[in-house]
Amino acid sequence: MHTHVGIVGAGPAGLLLSHLLHLHGISSVVLEARTRDHIEHRVRAGVLEQGTVDILREAGVSARMDAEGKRHEGIELRFDGEPHRIPMTELTGRAITVYGQQEVVKDLVARRLDDGADIRFEVADVRIDGLTGDRPTIRFRHGATEQELSCDVIAGCDGFHGVCRPSVPAGELTVYEREYPFGWLGILAEAKPAIDELIYCLHDEGFALYSMRSDHVSRLYLQVSADEDIAAWPDERIWSELATRFRLAGSDWRPNEGPIFDKGITGMRSFVTEPMQYGRLLLAGDAVHIVPPTGAKGLNLAVNDVWIMARALDAWFNHGDDEPLHHYSRDALRRVWRAQHFSWWMTSMLHRFGDDPYELRLQIAQLNNVVESTAYATALSENYVG
């Protein structure tokens, strides 16, 4: 088999790239290790920047997002038991949309299959060869059949644990990373959200985030230690701790409770690989960078990567211009490092790194700067909405 672009990974990056290439008349084959059901129900991020929303609309895959997504024009910062709203749209003219990553994946899979796309689920034993030649090859097993796909370009959209990045010879990539001493305990609950906009909360006991997935499903997070055992957090303890951290001074306000149908602990890390390309291999999304979820940038960075990549491939395949392709890493990394800085800043401002009371007072001083200064609030808003 041969295709213009072999795409490894059917997450939002790989699927959106396949669709954008299709719009430019460029063929692709998408290979995914998991089942379709798995990728369509894997709970991930849920905050879409204005730019991501615009790209999905321009690509013609936004109908359900526009109907079901929740437009938010501000966020709340809560600390010292007091709420402070940041009016993002008033400050920037832009907004965010709350719409689950798994819903974006469902929309893209449906559209690509309707268009006759070649998406192969449950592939195994993926190997990549010939990255510095004109026809790199992806070998894989699909069912009981060994297959070989030659490509003009390979797009590695297969996540941090995928095979694409490790296929680059040692010494060709530089890795920058940081591990944080805490994680997020996240839950999905059948509970009507008690809020209209997200709440980011700093408390003596640690960070908490109040979000939602729909009018009837709440998404909440608690900062816990990096080695925390989820078994130590029965539902009653989770709701009690959420009530404590979100408590307002002089009020009995608390999150609405309901049955928890999903919970888990996610580690916090920052990770960037440079460059984001090697020979005929282009890397995107979690395969090449990870940010702490505090800034809500992971999915949005992946979308930005493949938007840049698709434009570069269009220039090359359809117009004979290879300069944008050579500059893919440079152009994508500008945004990646801005997002890394913003996610680090939000994480540092809102999480407890220990029991040092001096550090806590510095964090509160920084938060007061943000909520009292239009310049600080605008800078946060510009980065948050994208």
Side-chain angles (χ1 to χ4, degrees), residues 314-323:
D314 173 46
W316 185 44
F317 281 114
N318 294 325
H319 305 286
D321 180 5
D322 63 359
E323 185 172 358

Side-chain angles (χ1 to χ4, degrees), residues 84-365:
H84 306 269
R85 184 175 185 269
I86 305 296
M88 299 186 303
T89 302
E90 178 183 320
L91 293 168
T92 68
R94 297 160 70 81
I96 60 167
T97 297
V98 175
Y99 188 65
Q101 176 174 310
Q102 69 273 20
E103 305 305 322
V104 175
V105 168
K106 290 176 188 176
D107 297 340
L108 288 167
V109 169
R111 178 58 183 271
R112 293 306 295 125
L113 293 179
D114 284 347
D115 290 337
D118 190 346
I119 304 176
R120 306 193 180 202
F121 298 101
E122 299 181 80
V123 303
D125 195 23
V126 177
R127 287 121 29 217
I128 296 174
D129 298 304
L131 293 178
T132 56
D134 293 337
R135 287 288 179 91
T137 300
I138 308 174
R139 295 180 175 86
F140 60 96
R141 189 173 68 255
H142 193 215
T145 306
E146 294 287 341
Q147 302 194 36
E148 182 176 300
L149 176 67
S150 69
C151 322
D152 296 302
V153 172
I154 296 175
C157 305
D158 52 345
F160 181 78
H161 298 290
V163 301
C164 289
R165 189 184 68 253
S167 298
V168 177
E172 295 292 339
L173 301 177
T174 301
V175 173
Y176 302 89
E177 59 185 329
R178 170 172 294 179
E179 297 279 350
Y180 292 87
F182 44 74
W184 278 14
L185 190 163
I187 66 166
L188 284 167
E190 295 176 4
K192 178 181 174 60
I195 57 171
D196 295 319
E197 296 174 339
L198 277 66
I199 301 175
Y200 285 78
C201 179
L202 172 67
H203 187 271
D204 289 1
E205 298 299 318
F207 170 78
L209 172 61
Y210 200 151
S211 182
M212 70 285 291
R213 286 295 177 266
S214 72
D215 291 335
H216 306 288
V217 175
S218 294
R219 181 69 159 156
L220 301 105
Y221 298 92
L222 287 167
Q223 177 187 346
V224 296
S225 62
D227 58 353
E228 194 77 14
D229 182 0
I230 191 67
W233 287 87
D235 294 1
E236 296 78 9
R237 183 185 179 191
I238 292 173
W239 288 119
S240 175
E241 188 63 25
L242 285 167
T244 296
R245 296 194 192 182
F246 285 115
R247 183 171 294 126
L248 291 170
S251 169
D252 59 358
W253 189 95
R254 60 188 295 145
N256 290 334
E257 297 183 18
I260 296 175
F261 61 90
D262 183 90
K263 64 180 173 181
I265 295 176
T266 302
M268 300 278 279
R269 68 182 309 175
S270 299
F271 174 88
V272 179
T273 297
E274 293 188 7
M276 292 171 57
Q277 60 194 112
Y278 173 78
R280 291 291 182 91
L281 172 66
L282 305 176
L283 297 165
D286 287 356
V288 71
H289 48 68
I290 294 174
V291 291
T294 324
K297 291 292 168 244
L299 169 61
N300 296 291
L301 279 181
V303 168
N304 190 69
D305 289 346
V306 298
W307 180 74
I308 294 172
M309 190 188 298
R311 288 163 59 92
L313 291 169
D314 173 46
W316 185 44
F317 281 114
N318 294 325
H319 305 286
D321 180 5
D322 63 359
E323 185 172 358
L325 196 59
H326 289 313
H327 292 159
Y328 165 66
S329 281
R330 180 199 68 184
D331 295 343
L333 283 167
R334 287 174 179 166
R335 177 71 196 282
V336 168
W337 278 111
R338 286 191 65 179
Q340 286 284 343
H341 177 266
F342 179 65
S343 297
W344 164 83
W345 180 64
M346 290 283 284
T347 300
S348 300
M349 183 168 60
L350 289 162
H351 291 74
R352 296 303 313 278
F353 284 77
D355 298 325
D356 183 359
Y358 177 80
E359 183 175 33
L360 176 60
R361 300 315 301 172
L362 289 179
Q363 289 173 300
I364 292 174

